[in-house]
Amino acid sequence: VDGVDHFCELPENENGSDRFSEEGDSGKLAYCVTDIPPWYLCIFLGIQHYLTAFGGIIAIPLILSQGLCLQHDSLTQSHLISTIFFVSGVCTLLQVTFGVRLPILQGGTFTLLSPSMALLSMPEWTCPAWTQNASLVNTSSPEFINVWQSRMQVLQGSIMVGSLFQVLVGFSGLIGLFMRFIGPLTIAPTISLIGLSLFDSAGMNAGHHWGISSMTTCLIVIFSQYLRHISIPFPKYSKAKKFHTSRIYIFQILPVLLGISLSWLICHLLTIYNVLPSDPDKYGYLARTDIKGDVMGRAPWFRFPYPGQWGVPTVSLAGVFGILAGVISSMIESLGDYHACARLSGAPPPPRHAINRGIAMEGIGCLLAGAWGTGNGTTSYSENIGALGITKVGSRMVIVCSGFVMIIMGMFGKIGAIFTTMPTPVVGGMFLVMFGVIMAAGVSNLQYTDMNSSRNIFIFGFSMFTGLAIPNWIMKNPTSIATGVVELDHVLQVLLTTSMFVGGFFGFLLDNTIPGTKRERGIIAWNKAHQNESDNTLESDDVYGLPFGINSCLSSFTWTKYVPFCPSHKVSRQDDAPTSLDSLDTKTEPTNDTHIIAGVAL
């Protein structure tokens, strides 16, 4: 396939309409997983993947800065942004090289954001009142530095300890056991409540100027939904055609970046012509672009992030339990991402050993993120999997280039500083779209279940409502939990103020204890969707085998077949997931007593 001349161009049928969404065209890739495109194409598409993940990655430190008392310290915010880009690049390289080995990008995860904010909202970690007043904050004073670094250190330690559980689950192969009890009715409220629990942050940022935030939201919606099938001609050169134009679906690839860039530019123009108020006490002041102008001058050109840059991490038992809830959600989400990525990149469905390595490598990524001090972990990015279908380039070498791009961007301090100057209402407008999509992505898991069933309607509705009601009450009554054991009080405080944990817990408990068939619960359709074979795929060992000759070395040892993450690992048929609907449908249901005991024990 002449991918060099035709990348980003969608083939057209006889009627002239694009066939991108048709099944017949889904397997026609310019480059498959193991192919290596030309170097310039790798760089171009690598930068594109970086820009696709841009919105989700920078949103995390911007939200965390509120809990870390850094609203008025733009320089430290820029360091956090640079650090999360740097660590995301390192984790991407590790995942593509030694993990699941699919072209899948790693970045910050919203599943850890909810328990992190719950931890930072505890009375002992609530920001002092003087940190909310810009005139009283001296960002270089030891007192202020101690305020935010102490919070970051406890966040780091909790993430590092919690990530060890994910490493254990991955390397031991326990993920298969988890998935026997976790179905769509557990996943749907868990993921949905991640987006819903952040509504306050989105509304608070957008409320500083609803006109600007509404404009940002409208632009992102127009680009991503109304103009996504419109291609724009771009100049291009090739030896065969010389200079010519190539049509690229730019709105479908970069809607978030285009939306916030245009809004940012308009805010800059309104600032230059003094349309926006210059009085800090007036409505709309935070939409100005010159508020944080000094951060560009103070930020270094080159800064190398390193482990422990914010001090020695400390561990909070309450924080660890909260992070565990986020880690489990992240693992479940990644399983679906692996299968989706395999289908879009022309690879066979990932075998058990590759999934185990992928989960373990994400755990190692969270461990590194905690050590470096991003205040977050890492997970697979679904947005970039969608980009594979747009570009028709499934090569993992492109993702390797994207990893290097993120590492380089993370080492240039000025780049992180630029993002901190983004007006607050623009950030709020981006959040309105992003968090809404996260919530809807969770609800979409219900497509596998029978929603005509009153059982399923009750489980989902009850899980969602309690996931909102209980955390809200605990937040308003922080002293209501008093067991007499301080550590236990803190653990319960974090867990019960984490919406995704409360909703996911009730969804898990009710789905595994209320009688219902596998078809009704969505288990059959869920497994079918994640076990489909794809056409025209490469051999599994070529895609998922370990690099640098490690595969051949391990194959000479007989004991490696007992190691869950080795390519030569063999699983028994009874442990492996059924590959057909018939085997799923006719499989004997466990007795209710056994099911309940096993579920509660897990």
Side-chain angles (χ1 to χ4, degrees), residues 191 195 225 383 431-444:
I191 304 301
Q225 304 302 320
E383 299 95 328
F431 286 172
L432 291 175
V433 176
M434 192 172 296
F435 298 158
V437 171
I438 293 173
M439 187 273 295
V443 175
S444 69

Side-chain angles (χ1 to χ4, degrees), residues 496-541:
L496 294 179
T497 52
T498 304
S499 296
M500 53 171 278
F501 168 78
V502 177
F505 172 78
F506 281 112
F508 170 82
L509 182 67
L510 296 174
D511 189 34
N512 283 280
T513 53
I514 298 177
T517 64
K518 285 190 174 181
R519 186 177 297 278
E520 184 182 16
R521 297 172 59 201
I523 303 296
I524 291 177
W526 172 267
N527 281 317
K528 180 190 175 185
H530 292 82
Q531 293 295 330
N532 278 346
E533 297 289 333
S534 51
D535 298 324
N536 303 323
T537 57
L538 304 168
E539 289 297 324
S540 180
D541 286 345

Side-chain angles (χ1 to χ4, degrees), residues 24-74:
D25 193 46
S26 61
K28 297 179 181 179
L29 295 170
Y31 296 96
C32 289
V33 183
T34 54
D35 294 336
I36 302 178
W39 63 269
Y40 53 87
L41 184 58
C42 285
I43 294 174
F44 174 81
L45 293 176
I47 294 173
Q48 175 187 278
H49 275 283
Y50 160 77
L51 295 176
T52 303
F54 158 85
I57 292 177
I58 69 159
I60 290 167
L62 292 177
I63 295 175
L64 272 178
S65 64
Q66 300 168 14
L68 294 171
C69 318
L70 291 173
Q71 298 96 317
H72 304 296
D73 188 357
S74 302

Side-chain angles (χ1 to χ4, degrees), residues 353-421:
H353 66 83
I355 291 176
N356 291 339
R357 283 203 316 272
I359 295 297
M361 206 54 64
E362 286 194 16
I364 292 174
C366 290
L367 190 65
L368 295 177
W372 255 264
T374 65
N376 198 250
T378 59
T379 191
S380 302
Y381 259 52
S382 306
E383 299 95 328
N384 293 81
I385 296 173
L388 296 177
I390 297 170
T391 61
K392 300 297 181 184
V393 176
S395 171
R396 59 186 167 212
M397 190 55 64
V398 169
I399 302 298
V400 169
C401 288
S402 185
F404 280 114
V405 168
M406 287 196 289
I407 290 174
I408 294 170
M409 293 297 184
M411 291 191 294
F412 283 97
K414 298 288 187 185
I415 293 177
I418 290 173
F419 297 138
T420 64
T421 63

Side-chain angles (χ1 to χ4, degrees), residues 41 118 131 144-145 156 177 196 199 207 355 374 402 408 486 548:
L41 184 58
T131 62
F144 177 75
I145 292 173
Q156 286 182 255
L177 175 63
L196 285 177
F199 77 92
I355 291 176
T374 65
S402 185
I408 294 170
V486 177
F548 312 125

Side-chain angles (χ1 to χ4, degrees), residues 247-258:
R247 304 189 73 84
I248 300 178
Y249 291 78
I250 191 71
F251 298 118
Q252 191 172 14
I253 297 172
L254 304 172
V256 175
L257 184 67
L258 291 173

Side-chain angles (χ1 to χ4, degrees), residues 4-5 40 234-245:
V4 179
D5 287 340
Y40 53 87
F234 280 82
K236 186 181 173 185
Y237 176 82
S238 66
K239 291 182 180 179
K241 299 182 180 179
K242 303 301 180 182
F243 283 102
H244 62 286
T245 59

